[in-house]
């Protein structure tokens, strides 16, 4: 028996409305980059934990059908930098597959990594993720 068009349309809409799962982060601690040439301030561990806790809520709002999501099936390491943006303390997060880069150095990670490299801006003063993008887009 073939599905009727209305049932098929409802199935497609239901799949599109499912929330995207939060990416899986490595259990190892993140790299928090010290102030220097590319960093303005040092994020506190509590601020980084707040950012990582905000990931689930943030991704729940993104439809699973969105093609601009981090690659599934990956475990991600991450680096955080404290930067000033429009007079606000922001944390810039770079996320990449475990083992792709050395954990002990802060890098400017290339934006050409498809959906295996992704980035976000977190407003450390408001505790909100304000921007998210996939590498190469």
């Amino acid at each position: 028996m073939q599905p009727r068009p209305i049932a098929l349309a409802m199935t497609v809409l239901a799949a599109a409305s499912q929330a995207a799962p939060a990416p899986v982060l490595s259990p190892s601690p993140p790299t928090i980059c010290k102030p220097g040439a590319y960093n303005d301030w040092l994020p506190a561990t509590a601020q980084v934990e707040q950012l990582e806790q905000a990931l689930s809520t943030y991704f729940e709002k993104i439809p699973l059908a969105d093609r601009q999501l981090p690659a599934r099936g990956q475990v991600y390491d991450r680096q955080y930098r404290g930067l000033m943006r429009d007079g606000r303390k922001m944390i810039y997060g770079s996320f990449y597959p475990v083992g792709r880069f050395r954990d002990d150095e802060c890098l400017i990670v290339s934006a050409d990594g498809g959906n295996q490299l992704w980035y976000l801006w977190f407003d450390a003063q408001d505790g909100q993720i304000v921007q998210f993008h996939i590498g190469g887009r």
Side-chain angles (χ1 to χ4, degrees), residues 2-3 8 11 28 33 42 52 61 73 81 85 97-98 104 107 120 125 135-136:
Q2 293 185 344
L8 182 59
T11 302
S28 63
C33 302
L42 181 64
E52 291 187 353
K61 297 175 187 175
R81 304 172 184 293
R85 187 176 182 194
V98 168
D104 62 343
L107 304 168
L120 60 78
Q125 293 168 253

Side-chain angles (χ1 to χ4, degrees), residues 2-44:
Q2 293 185 344
R4 295 190 335 217
I6 189 75
L8 182 59
M10 289 174 65
T11 302
V12 170
L13 287 174
S17 66
Q18 289 179 338
V24 178
L25 301 182
S26 166
S28 63
T31 300
I32 301 175
C33 302
K34 294 181 171 69
Y38 297 104
N39 310 311
D40 300 322
W41 60 280
L42 181 64

Side-chain angles (χ1 to χ4, degrees), residues 86-137:
D86 298 325
R88 298 192 61 83
K89 282 189 167 185
M90 305 291 278
I91 299 174
Y92 183 74
S94 300
F95 299 79
Y96 46 89
V98 168
R100 180 118 182 217
F101 301 106
R102 287 182 33 192
D103 291 337
D104 62 343
E105 58 186 354
C106 284
L107 304 168
I108 300 295
V109 179
S110 167
D112 187 22
N115 67 345
Q116 290 189 0
L117 301 180
W118 51 282
Y119 314 89
L120 60 78
W121 287 95
F122 179 79
D123 188 321
Q125 293 168 253
D126 288 344
Q128 300 289 320
I129 295 171
V130 296
Q131 188 176 3
F132 162 79
H133 62 279
I134 294 291
R137 298 198 178 156

